[in-house]
Amino acid sequence: MDIAYIREFVVLAETGKFSAAARELHISQSTLSRHIQSMEDELGHLLFTRTTREMKLSEYGAIYLPHAKKIVQTVRDAMNDIYQYEKHKGEKIKVGIVHYPELYYIIDSLMDFQRAYPQISVNIVEGSLKKLYSEFSAERLNVITNAYSSWEQVPRNFIRAGESRLAAIMSKDHPLASMSKIPLHCLDGAQLIVPENGNIVYKNLDYMFRKEGIRPNIFYQGNSSEVSALLLYDMNILIQDRAIGIKQLNNALVLRELEPSISYVFGLEYSDTLSDSEKQFVKFIRKRFEQKDNAE
């Protein structure tokens, strides 16, 4: 059966008049009447009962109508999906991701986006928070993962993924390990391991040290993913994001909260000037993060 005929049947059922339906469909009344007659012949039932004074759906037509509407909507959705596919086919987007992307819940979302929109290629650029924001400010990146400290104003073009805070990781034999929370002033002069400059952890830590007048004794600064030996034998303290720090624990290490708590929100930031593909990506990520929040 011709899909166009089914759409014409739906319009006629909704308007109730051949003249009004023909105008909406931009065809003649005789053509519309012929198409409806063709449908009735194929179905073996009348779709409308007609008199000289009125026309209304038959019992069979009333049963058939909701199914016809579903068919019309399905075809419309399919055509829109095909249009979107052709529109974005071969397009590329570049997404800046900060080190420790697992913190931002972005990797799974990126993979799901690629499955949903295979016609859009994604180029991932990883870097420090400082470097990515520099690229973002220079408009060389329009979409980046970012984080904002509790004392900073979060911009409107920011999709919140979650919140985290800093923690201290140390050997169970460290003198401070007996404390449930480590006051910041206890870190004055302590031998510390901290992430690289430009990392959200170091940014927050440096701010609070300056605010509290604490003089840090930084023993090691850089990628702190493989520093367990330094914690065990040299009585150092690793300052790390709590969520990441938990994954670095072993039987010889403990994690302690800091007092006062040093927290920040993290998520996806985007510019005002996005391509259609970038807009599609931002819309997709927003929905994913909202679903995550609702699930929690």
Side-chain angles (χ1 to χ4, degrees), residues 232-243:
L232 293 175
Y233 301 113
D234 291 330
M235 286 297 152
N236 296 292
I237 298 175
L238 168 63
I239 306 298
Q240 182 58 283
D241 174 87
R242 186 180 187 279

Side-chain angles (χ1 to χ4, degrees), residues 148-205:
Y148 285 91
S149 306
S150 57
W151 62 83
E152 294 180 303
Q153 179 68 40
V154 178
R156 61 180 179 82
N157 289 358
F158 183 82
I159 308 172
R160 183 184 182 277
E163 183 176 348
S164 194
R165 58 187 183 273
L166 305 193
I169 303 171
M170 65 197 76
S171 165
K172 290 180 178 180
D173 298 325
H174 195 285
L176 297 180
S178 60
M179 306 176 72
S180 59
K181 292 186 177 182
I182 309 297
L184 283 182
H185 67 81
C186 290
L187 299 180
D188 195 344
Q191 199 159 278
L192 303 179
I193 299 173
V194 298
E196 67 273 18
N197 191 5
N199 181 285
I200 184 64
V201 172
Y202 184 75
K203 174 185 174 182
N204 279 269
L205 189 65

